[in-house]
Amino acid sequence: IMTSVKTLLGGSVAVGSTVEVKGWVRTRRDSKAGISFVAVHDGSCFDPIQAVVPNTLNNYETDVMRATTGASVVIRGELVASQGQGQSVEIQASEVELVGEVIDAETYPIAKKRHSFEYLRGVAHLRPRTNSIGAVTRVRTVLQNSIHNFFVNDGFQWINTPIITASDCEGAGELFRVSTLDMANLPRTDKGDVNFSEDFFGKESFLTVSGQLNAEAYALAMSKVYTFGPTFRAENSHTTRHLAEFWMVEPEIAFADLNDDANLAEGMLRYAVKEVLNKCEDDLGFFNKMVDKTLIERLTNVSETPFARIPYTDAIDILLKSGKKFEFPVQWGIDLQSEHERWLCEEYVKGPVVITDYPKDIKAFYMRLNDDGKTVAAMDVLAPGIGEIIGGAQREERLDVLDARMAESGLSGQLEWYRDLRKYGTVPHAGFGLGFDRFLNYVTGMENIRDVIPFPRVPNQADF
Ligand code: 4AD
Ligand code: MG
């Protein structure tokens, strides 16, 4: 039976079966008694399977002795009950094939010892072979799947919004511009450098910062939609929470207000966390042991407890009365800084919190103006240890109010198609954007967002 390590360790293959496993050597230990213990991993689960290899195999000296950490192997033999502690089964090997040896084992970058995450970023092509990045990769898969399941089970349509766009949804000017290049006929400057000023087929366009505006169009026809794709921000941020290219989940619902939006966000987050708790026991166990001893307890609480909801104006009062000295002074009207956000969820609520109804001047043009004329129906979901993981809002569905907001934001005369949505059968609607990689950061307890995405894109980093 050729199968994954996960299936072999999972207990469904009978002891005594002839099995075959293909993977990479994590460790090899040679005993004096002429037996080698080879631990093989294939990415399917946290633990490797151990193969017991006797020196009576005729390629023991030529091949098995060269199967060092990182080498690829195929091992065949009998599945037997394990003698030692750890796994319940192991393979009594009758055949070992060395598929690809590690040339110069001394310089293999992922040697057996523990490496810092910073070091591993420098060998991003090999780091998925480590315990930690392997675990992150599996949790990433389960978390993405659980989000898709949550929406599809609830009748949402998954729409794919464009990557190339002419609009700056957030109005923050953090855009990467897209150019077309005629490779045979590259435009050159006087100095002979390539001139990258050609636009996308003659129209100025950018990599999208958000699929929201397109999602709104589909929500106003399909009622419940979401998009889940890569988004881009040309911000020069060097933090543990920012990427230049990240993945965003953006649902959009019609006939809905801010309260419906917050309910949807909370429902999605709690469902996804519960799924990961149920399906990633070993990987979470590892993170709980190695990176954050309170992780599982914290996630269990999140899955079971309703989120606190605090209007921005109250949050400002709470911060002012906290007695805590913040670096950035607290005052109504400020954009909450990460120190404020973190104090609110880590010290005050001690869990995720939804902040609602922010001042209109610090938020995007599309957010619905509240009756007070000063605030908009916006919400951010803040998570302990991370800060903002979701930003969302009820959208301005009234054409006259939208026009006034667009004029204030210098957008008059633009986005005619977006205005059309308010002219032809407008309805109250709302949505949000979840920074998927930040959410994965939260769920794994990992410290740096660069370690939860396979190949991080940050300023000056596009190798690999
Ligand atoms: O708050 P943001 O900018 O909201 C929007 O883009 C809305 N159009 C979403 C919507 O309503 N459909 O971004 C949403 C989330 C943030 O809360 C954050 O989690 C994440 O995207 N995010 C980033 N994640 C990683 N790196 C960055 N540079 C990020 N910028 C935003
Ligand atoms: Mg935001």
Side-chain angles (χ1 to χ4, degrees):
I1 310 170
M2 151 59 196
T3 181
S4 67
V5 173
K6 181 181 179 173
T7 308
L8 290 178
L9 294 180
S12 62
V13 180
V15 164
S17 307
T18 301
V19 297
E20 175 183 275
V21 71
K22 300 180 175 182
W24 293 264
V25 174
R26 176 144 286 147
T27 54
R28 194 194 79 219
R29 188 166 56 79
D30 307 317
S31 82
K32 293 204 183 71
I35 296 172
S36 292
F37 300 94
V38 183
V40 178
H41 70 97
D42 66 358
S44 59
C45 61
F46 186 80
D47 289 314
I49 191 164
Q50 172 163 281
V52 180
V53 185
N55 64 359
T56 50
L57 295 192
N58 53 26
N59 66 343
Y60 186 83
E61 288 302 328
T62 53
D63 292 346
V64 178
M65 285 299 104
R66 278 157 62 215
T68 54
T69 298
S72 49
V73 291
V74 178
I75 296 183
R76 297 182 195 90
E78 185 188 341
L79 193 69
V80 297
S82 177
Q83 304 302 311
Q85 290 168 334
Q87 300 325 322
S88 57
V89 291
E90 60 192 20
I91 299 173
Q92 182 61 47
S94 49
E95 239 179 285
V96 174
E97 226 179 274
L98 180 63
V99 179
E101 72 178 309
V102 167
I103 297 169
D104 191 4
E106 293 302 300
T107 62
Y108 181 54
I110 313 282
K112 198 13 211 147
K113 65 173 193 150
R114 242 179 115 183
H115 299 287
S116 72
F117 288 117
E118 192 180 5
Y119 168 81
L120 290 176
R121 268 170 242 146
V123 285
H125 57 310
L126 295 169
R127 70 177 184 166
R129 297 177 182 200
T130 62
N131 278 330
S132 49
I133 303 299
V136 162
T137 306
R138 284 182 297 273
V139 176
R140 193 173 171 101
T141 299
V142 171
L143 196 63
Q144 297 200 49
N145 249 314
S146 65
I147 288 170
H148 283 300
N149 288 340
F150 173 82
F151 287 120
V152 173
N153 292 345
D154 198 15
F156 279 69
Q157 306 299 325
W158 177 20
I159 61 163
N160 304 115
T161 49
I163 306 285
I164 298 174
T165 178
S167 49
D168 178 4
C169 174
E170 293 307 298
E174 295 165 339
L175 302 164
F176 287 106
R177 189 154 149 190
V178 177
S179 311
T180 48
L181 288 180
D182 174 354
M183 293 311 282
N185 199 4
L186 288 177
R188 301 273 168 182
T189 65
D190 295 346
K191 291 187 189 137
D193 303 331
V194 175
N195 179 357
F196 288 101
S197 69
E198 293 291 288
D199 290 312
F200 184 64
F201 301 118
K203 163 109 177 114
E204 184 168 70
S205 53
F206 313 97
L207 296 179
T208 190
V209 297
S210 160
Q212 176 198 323
L213 304 184
N214 301 91
E216 282 186 57
Y218 267 68
L220 296 185
M222 311 301 291
S223 302
K224 303 199 264 190
V225 303
Y226 73 104
T227 175
F228 189 162
T231 47
F232 307 85
R233 306 267 166 116
E235 53 190 334
N236 199 8
S237 298
H238 300 260
T239 76
T240 56
R241 302 290 167 240
H242 289 86
L243 292 166
E245 177 181 303
F246 64 98
W247 289 72
M248 187 151 48
V249 181
E250 297 183 90
E252 196 68 32
I253 46 179
F255 301 99
D257 62 15
L258 187 66
N259 197 44
D260 300 319
D261 203 30
N263 291 342
L264 182 68
E266 178 174 340
M268 177 198 68
L269 293 173
R270 289 172 59 188
Y271 174 87
V273 164
K274 194 174 288 171
E275 285 286 287
V276 169
L277 281 167
N278 289 337
K279 295 181 175 164
C280 304
E281 216 180 307
D282 291 354
D283 292 321
L284 284 191
F286 169 76
F287 292 124
N288 198 73
K289 196 165 122 208
M290 304 303 282
V291 284
D292 177 353
K293 301 253 186 298
T294 64
L295 180 70
I296 291 178
E297 187 192 329
R298 212 155 40 71
L299 294 178
T300 307
N301 277 339
V302 168
S303 77
E304 290 171 355
T305 323
F307 293 0
R309 297 186 191 182
I310 306 176
Y312 168 92
T313 301
D314 294 357
I316 292 293
D317 277 348
I318 292 166
L319 289 167
L320 285 171
K321 288 181 187 140
S322 70
K324 163 126 178 114
K325 193 109 184 63
F326 293 107
E327 243 168 72
F328 193 95
V330 176
Q331 188 194 339
W332 197 96
I334 60 159
D335 205 354
L336 294 182
Q337 305 296 304
S338 131
E339 54 174 333
H340 308 134
E341 296 182 338
R342 294 191 56 169
W343 186 86
L344 282 168
C345 55
E346 287 163 27
E347 307 294 328
Y348 186 73
V349 173
K350 298 190 167 42
V353 55
V354 189
I355 308 289
T356 62
D357 304 295
Y358 285 79
K360 76 177 169 83
D361 293 337
I362 57 169
K363 289 293 184 183
F365 74 95
Y366 53 72
M367 297 189 178
R368 192 179 195 279
L369 191 63
N370 286 329
D371 293 341
D372 61 14
K374 301 190 302 187
T375 60
V376 287
M379 64 161 195
D380 277 2
V381 179
L382 314 179
I386 310 274
E388 178 189 340
I389 59 169
I390 282 182
Q394 183 173 344
R395 318 306 188 189
E396 185 53 76
E397 86 285 12
R398 301 160 295 187
L399 184 62
D400 54 338
V401 186
L402 180 68
D403 279 344
R405 288 278 283 152
M406 286 178 68
E408 277 173 26
S409 312
L411 292 170
S412 294
Q414 293 178 48
L415 291 173
E416 278 302 321
W417 67 270
Y418 188 71
R419 293 181 67 250
D420 274 357
L421 300 171
R422 277 72 184 166
K423 285 194 217 163
Y424 309 131
T426 191
V427 293
H429 62 289
F432 64 81
L434 165 72
F436 176 75
D437 314 278
R438 285 192 190 172
F439 186 33
L440 182 58
N441 238 197
Y442 180 67
V443 168
T444 55
M446 293 283 287
E447 247 154 52
N448 196 317
I449 198 167
R450 299 171 194 207
D451 301 324
V452 299
I453 189 163
F455 296 99
R457 291 293 174 258
V458 293
N460 300 318
Q461 173 59 279
D463 303 342
F464 307 108

